């Protein structure tokens, strides 16, 4: 949040990317509440709260602003997704599409396929691709949204023709759990 033109939406995309890509995620304290900082030695001030003399306690919901709580909830959602799906912890990565505004990739394990879409543009996007790329041999594929701040207004996606089509809301990161269903 200390970079020029930083936004809450950009911070959410950053956290989703960190928690959905390969490796061990490293989040710097305060990212979960949009804390700012500068160059060394002013990287971060002390986290507000936890001591009697602190007038504000960001450790509790009551001490956070609406924006801080929104960011806190987004970080928590992506941490929970990483815990829930083995593909996000240790699965292989398959790049599906990337350009200046979007990055869509799959994380796949023996049990699970998760597609993560990051869209930093101010408009909706849509991706459609052949499901065989992900090893799906059948025609009926369901992709159920399961994370990110834009999950609730989006219905299930997928395809019945051997393709997968997914909606990418503006300025958001979203995760889809995809699987084949038999007719």
């Amino acid at each position: 949040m200390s970079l020029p033109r930083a936004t809450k939406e950009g911070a959410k995309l950053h956290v989703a990317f960190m928690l959905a890509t390969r490796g061990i995620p490293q989040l710097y304290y305060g990212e979960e509440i949009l804390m700012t900082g500068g160059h060394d030695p002013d990287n971060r001030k002390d986290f507000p709260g936890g001591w009697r003399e602190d007038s504000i306690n960001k450790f509790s919901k009551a001490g956070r602003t609406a924006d801080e709580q929104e960011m806190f909830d987004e970080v928590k959602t992506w941490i929970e997704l990483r815990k829930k799906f083995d593909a996000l912890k240790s699965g292989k990565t398959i790049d599906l599409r990337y350009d200046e505004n979007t990055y869509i990739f799959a994380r796949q394990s023996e049990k699970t396929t998760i597609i993560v879409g990051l869209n930093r543009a101010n408009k909706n996007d849509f991706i459609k691709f052949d499901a065989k790329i992900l090893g799906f041999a059948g025609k009926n594929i369901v992709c159920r949204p399961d994370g990110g701040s834009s999950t609730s207004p989006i219905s299930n996606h997928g395809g019945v023709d051997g393709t997968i089509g997914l909606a990418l809301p503006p300025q958001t990161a979203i995760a889809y759990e995809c699987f084949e269903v038999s007719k």
Side-chain angles (χ1 to χ4, degrees), residues 59-150:
F59 287 105
S60 73
K61 186 175 183 175
R64 297 182 202 119
T65 67
D67 281 343
E68 290 168 344
Q69 186 61 42
E70 184 180 337
M71 184 66 185
F72 183 88
D73 291 341
E74 187 77 355
V75 171
K76 185 177 177 181
T77 295
W78 283 97
I79 289 172
E80 292 299 320
L81 281 172
R82 189 173 177 93
K83 286 170 36 180
K84 179 179 178 181
F85 294 114
D86 61 318
L88 292 178
K89 290 182 278 205
S90 58
K92 68 180 179 177
T93 301
I94 303 166
D95 290 333
L96 299 170
R97 187 182 91 199
Y98 49 89
D99 59 34
E100 64 187 38
N101 287 313
T102 58
Y103 180 34
I104 300 94
F105 59 95
R107 296 294 310 278
Q108 198 170 48
S109 68
E110 289 183 21
K111 300 180 203 173
T112 315
T113 298
I114 304 295
I115 298 176
V116 177
L118 306 165
N119 181 6
R120 72 178 193 156
N122 291 321
K123 61 181 181 166
N124 285 313
D125 200 351
F126 189 81
I127 180 175
K128 189 170 185 174
F129 58 92
D130 191 329
K132 290 177 187 168
I133 293 170
L134 299 177
F136 293 123
K139 300 277 187 201
N140 280 337
I141 297 118
V142 173
C143 292
R144 181 175 52 212
D146 203 345
S149 58
S150 291

Side-chain angles (χ1 to χ4, degrees), residues 42-62:
D42 190 33
N43 298 17
R44 286 279 203 284
K45 302 289 186 199
D46 288 340
F47 196 93
W51 304 101
R52 264 181 273 132
E53 58 272 7
D54 288 338
S55 60
I56 298 171
N57 184 4
K58 302 293 182 176
F59 287 105
S60 73
K61 186 175 183 175

Side-chain angles (χ1 to χ4, degrees), residues 24-40:
I24 300 170
Q26 180 180 350
L27 300 178
Y28 198 57
Y29 80 90
E31 286 187 61
E32 72 277 17
I33 61 163
L34 302 168
M35 278 182 75
T36 59
H39 294 290
D40 217 2

